[in-house]
Amino acid sequence: MRKFLAVASVAVTAAAFVATAASSGAAAPSGAAGKASSVGATAASISASAADGYTVKRVVKDANGAAHTRYNRTYQGLRVSGGDFVVHSAPGGAFTGASNGLASPLTLSITPKISAGTAMATATTYFAGTITTTGSTELFVDATSGSGRLAWESVVNGWAADGQTPSKLHVVTDAVTGAHIGKFDEIETVAGTGNGIYTGAVSIDTTLSGSTYSMIDPVRGSGRTCDMNNGTSTCTTFTDADNAWGTGSNSNRQSAGVDAHFGAAKTFDYYLNVHGRNGIFGNGTGVPSRVHYGSAYVNAFWDGAQMTYGDGSGNAKPLVSLDVAGHEMSHGVTEALAGLTYSAESGGLNEATSDIFGNMVEFYANAPSDPGDYQVGEKIDINGNGTPLRYMYNPSLDGSSHSCWSTSTKNVDVHYSSGVANHFFFNLAEGTGATSYGTSPVCGSAPAVVGIGRAKAEKIWYRALDVNFTSSTAYVNTSTPANNARLHTLAAATFLYGSCSAEYKAVQAAWTAVNVASTDTACPVGNDFSLAASPASGSVNPGSAVTSTITATLTNGSAQTVTLSASGLPSGATAGFSPASITSAGGTSTLTISTTAATPAGTYAVTVTGTGASSTRTTTYSLTVNGAPGCTGTNGNDVAIPDNTTVTSTIVISGCNRNASATSSVPVTIYHTYKGDLVVSLVAPDGSVYTLSNRAGGSADNIIQTFTVNLSSEAANGTWTLRVQDAATADTGRIDTWSLTL
């Protein structure tokens, strides 16, 4: 998806979707429970329909073994825009919740009353500029509002009104009434030595071939920087004889290239070193940077694969500053992670994410000539009076952005609705009132906020984007109240720093300060504490022991004595604490879990409980007891399958240092009096789900069968889970034994 920086001189065409609700407060249709079970969730948590289909987009696995699997949704075979969801599971695979954008299961006809040709004809009337070609028209379900309606999405290609900005306009038309729903553009605006226009003297990594240096970065996936020569098609990679690039003056064409090359490198390094993401796409590849685009082109854009920079008014101010580079390339990260829809409040969150990380790249780079400052585009002087495009500490200073949320925020351009999240982030990092970067006002009578620092704030935002946001997340969501940025960032703060920690409370306060009201549970007011295990997971061979440090942190009131205990241990395992009691104000104890030779292999969620005079808190330690080394394993422990219940059984593979094979075998023996009730799935260590049997076999008894599965994309080592769901009433059974040969 392409994204522009967006400046006053360029028309922005991203109108908000206004999808209306299809019917339905009804319960999920028959079969929905089975669909939900196939992804390890409940039907209600993901608004499942029997006509749904789900595909895995990506899996995030935490250090303790918890997993977060992001799915795309189809309905009767049609793509569902806004139907994506994330299934959260605990170590060992137990379902813990979901992030979901739908208000209720989809129930609509997929027969259009408006033809594709009519929809395309309508779409062309919304194109402002010169049309070169018309693309596809796709029938899909628009559920960006939380409810579904049948729609056509038509693509019109050409040039925007300025004649230089490429445009790939998507127009959405109601497939039943012919009404215009909305539109958005894929173009979303905005170790040698070099001397850049904005960054000054910096080091850049280049490639030597023969006696010629090329501006190709061998350290960061061969990202290249090239010269468009003020055209719109051909781009020539910069070369140089002595590896000294640019003069710092715009009159030297290499100078803008130095800034762009440096910006791409620092953005790559920022995501890798701060968030553990290997490049914009997460695969280690670099991105091309195209400079000197067009003539007097006052914009920069990301087109889904590369960066493009104009030279500004009079070709005098190339838009190659650090924060612009970080901003535009961060659109690629957002698209790969949450895919925030580029309209209404989700579009504001999309733009804010780019502003946030663009500024964090600027702070990370720490270039003396372009220090971090919480302003957007302050170096490129698009306004012509030395002012930036946007101010994160007080967004309304630009005359258009919203500093405080209101019911009208969803109706303004996404570059202006971004102000609410930008203001939140500044308050979270730096606090309200007078700061070193500017004065941040609170909205209404909200209390002042004390910042927690950039390092913590940026990690909270990235975590929320990575595992909590969906494509339709908003500031305030009336159709799906839980799908809002406040709750999702609080979930991120809980994961990183603990529920009701100082960081958690700062997130609450920072949202309140921008008028995004409380939708979360208040933190306790009495004496309270939190517990944490470090590390939160570990593996042990049978007959050996493993340790972890348990820490109690005061979250409210006065300290108390906390007595520690453990539960959920496998047979033959014991837990001991040294000391057995600690203070809630930072006390620590060493947890030692000892096993015997007979302790069965598997992954177990061990609950550590701290009991105090005023409150009791728990934390979870994920214990993996290794199986015998090799690429095979068996679990012969019986697991009862009660009626209408999902159960699991695990096998731990260790010492198999390769991927599983394309012909992996899974022999299964399940005794059940009606095997047509059963959904049987194999869950890989990374959370990927492989369905072995989905209510097949009718009224016959038992599943005694060897399944052959292509698991070649999966690492063999880890905990494999056999998940069995009884999806209908009246019959029960048990998992007798199962094996795995990888």
Side-chain angles (χ1 to χ4, degrees):
M1 185 173 285
R2 302 180 180 184
K3 298 192 170 52
F4 279 105
L5 179 65
V7 297
S9 60
V10 176
V12 178
T13 58
F17 285 86
V18 191
T20 58
S23 60
S24 142
S30 174
K35 290 286 187 179
S37 175
S38 71
V39 297
T42 63
S45 68
I46 62 171
S47 301
S49 158
D52 283 356
Y54 309 129
T55 57
V56 175
K57 179 179 179 182
R58 53 191 299 271
V59 179
V60 175
K61 196 159 188 179
D62 298 333
N64 68 352
H68 312 272
T69 307
R70 188 177 293 274
Y71 290 90
N72 290 328
R73 185 191 314 251
T74 59
Y75 177 76
Q76 295 190 46
L78 298 182
R79 172 176 64 89
V80 181
S81 177
D84 55 303
F85 58 91
V86 184
V87 174
H88 308 290
S89 58
F95 174 67
T96 58
S99 302
N100 174 41
L102 288 187
S104 58
L106 295 170
T107 56
L108 69 155
S109 167
I110 61 168
T111 302
K113 294 184 179 180
I114 303 299
S115 71
T118 299
M120 177 59 79
T122 300
T124 60
T125 66
Y126 287 92
F127 194 93
T130 303
I131 296 174
T132 55
T133 61
T134 55
S136 61
T137 297
E138 178 194 7
L139 189 66
F140 76 111
V141 176
D142 173 28
T144 53
S145 69
S147 300
R149 69 191 298 182
L150 192 65
W152 291 107
E153 183 172 320
S154 307
V155 181
V156 186
N157 305 298
W159 298 96
D162 63 9
Q164 297 187 95
T165 303
S167 180
K168 193 170 185 179
L169 186 69
H170 294 242
V171 180
V172 181
T173 305
D174 191 305
V176 176
T177 67
H180 175 66
I181 296 175
K183 58 184 179 179
F184 66 92
D185 205 308
E186 272 195 38
I187 307 289
E188 298 179 16
T189 58
V190 147
T193 58
N195 205 331
I197 298 170
Y198 305 119
T199 55
V202 292
S203 295
I204 58 174
D205 289 293
T206 58
T207 297
L208 175 64
S209 179
S211 60
T212 301
Y213 294 90
S214 297
M215 209 175 273
I216 299 174
D217 190 336
V219 178
R220 302 168 184 86
S222 297
R224 75 181 185 114
T225 301
C226 58
D227 187 350
M228 295 290 290
N229 293 293
N230 297 110
T232 59
S233 56
T234 304
C235 200
T236 305
T237 301
F238 283 105
T239 59
D240 192 82
D242 61 5
N243 209 24
W245 307 81
T247 63
S249 169
N250 186 40
S251 61
N252 183 300
R253 299 187 72 80
Q254 290 183 352
S255 299
V258 169
D259 281 325
H261 203 66
F262 181 76
K266 289 305 176 183
T267 302
F268 190 108
D269 290 349
Y270 169 76
Y271 279 107
L272 179 63
N273 296 329
V274 176
H275 302 298
R277 181 172 182 78
N278 192 12
I280 303 307
F281 306 113
N283 60 3
T285 60
V287 296
S289 297
R290 309 190 304 171
V291 303
H292 301 304
Y293 175 88
S295 180
Y297 184 63
V298 191
N299 223 318
F301 61 86
W302 168 262
D303 66 8
Q306 61 193 355
M307 273 301 307
T308 301
Y309 303 91
D311 279 344
S313 181
N315 292 320
K317 283 280 188 177
L319 279 74
V320 289
S321 64
L322 258 175
D323 57 353
V324 172
H327 172 105
E328 296 298 349
M329 285 182 274
S330 291
H331 278 305
V333 175
T334 297
E335 181 64 22
L337 299 184
L340 286 160
T341 302
Y342 203 60
S343 62
E345 290 186 6
S346 59
L349 288 166
N350 188 318
E351 272 297 314
T353 297
S354 283
D355 282 351
I356 288 166
F357 290 133
N359 270 271
M360 293 304 99
V361 167
E362 196 174 67
F363 278 106
Y364 175 85
N366 197 28
S369 298
D370 190 7
D373 50 25
Y374 291 104
Q375 297 177 359
V376 180
E378 73 282 355
K379 288 286 187 180
I380 56 180
D381 193 22
I382 284 179
N383 297 328
N385 58 5
T387 60
L389 278 173
R390 291 186 284 281
Y391 306 78
M392 294 182 69
Y393 55 86
N394 187 1
S396 62
L397 289 177
D398 66 16
S400 299
S401 293
H402 285 206
S403 286
C404 307
W405 180 85
S406 72
T407 54
S408 65
T409 297
K410 64 183 178 183
N411 299 321
V412 302
D413 182 88
V414 295
H415 298 89
Y416 304 141
S417 60
S418 66
V420 177
N422 281 343
H423 197 191
F424 157 80
F425 185 86
F426 182 88
N427 293 342
L428 180 63
E430 306 294 342
T432 55
T435 75
S436 301
Y437 304 100
T439 299
S440 174
V442 298
C443 299
S445 58
V449 180
V450 176
I452 59 174
R454 290 188 300 275
K456 291 181 177 180
E458 66 189 345
K459 285 181 172 60
I460 289 172
W461 193 265
Y462 184 86
R463 170 75 182 185
L465 181 75
D466 195 18
V467 306
N468 299 108
F469 286 175
T470 72
S471 63
S472 56
T473 294
Y475 298 123
V476 175
N477 211 323
T478 55
S479 60
T480 53
N483 188 24
N484 70 71
R486 178 171 176 138
L487 286 180
H488 290 330
T489 49
L490 284 170
T494 297
F495 171 79
L496 292 168
Y497 305 110
S499 179
C500 289
S501 61
E503 294 81 3
Y504 181 100
K505 292 176 181 178
V507 171
Q508 290 179 308
W511 280 120
T512 299
V514 296
N515 201 37
V516 176
S518 173
T519 53
D520 40 276
T521 303
C523 290
V525 295
N527 299 330
D528 205 2
F529 64 94
S530 63
L531 276 186
S534 180
S537 62
S539 59
V540 62
N541 293 324
S544 298
V546 65
T547 63
S548 177
T549 299
I550 307 300
T551 302
T553 301
L554 188 66
T555 58
N556 205 74
S558 302
Q560 55 190 300
T561 298
V562 176
T563 301
L564 299 171
S565 61
S567 59
L569 293 160
S571 62
T574 58
F577 295 91
S578 180
S581 296
I582 57 177
T583 174
S584 64
T588 62
S589 176
T590 299
L591 163 66
T592 300
I593 299 177
S594 302
T595 64
T596 67
T599 301
T603 297
Y604 306 91
V606 178
T607 300
V608 178
T609 301
T611 303
S614 301
S615 55
T616 298
R617 293 289 176 255
T618 63
T619 190
T620 300
Y621 179 83
S622 179
L623 172 69
T624 298
V625 181
N626 296 326
C631 299
T632 64
T634 298
N635 190 333
N637 295 323
D638 289 358
V639 178
I641 308 172
D643 202 23
N644 282 303
T645 302
T646 299
V647 299
T648 60
S649 176
T650 60
I651 292 174
V652 177
I653 299 294
S654 61
C656 186
N657 298 317
R658 59 170 174 78
N659 274 17
S661 75
T663 56
S664 297
S665 65
V666 190
V668 173
T669 300
I670 298 174
Y671 294 110
H672 194 278
T673 52
Y674 197 105
K675 70 179 183 179
D677 287 358
L678 301 180
V679 180
V680 183
S681 303
L682 179 68
V683 184
D686 68 357
S688 299
V689 178
Y690 298 84
T691 301
L692 305 180
S693 178
N694 189 355
R695 303 193 68 176
S699 60
D701 292 348
N702 311 327
I703 298 178
I704 303 174
Q705 183 176 348
T706 296
F707 298 93
T708 300
V709 190
N710 183 356
L711 301 174
S712 57
S713 64
E714 304 287 348
N717 287 334
T719 300
W720 295 80
T721 302
L722 186 72
R723 187 171 68 204
V724 181
Q725 182 206 11
D726 185 310
T729 57
D731 293 88
T732 61
R734 75 176 190 276
I735 302 173
D736 183 75
T737 187
W738 71 288
S739 301
L740 192 60
T741 299
L742 302 176

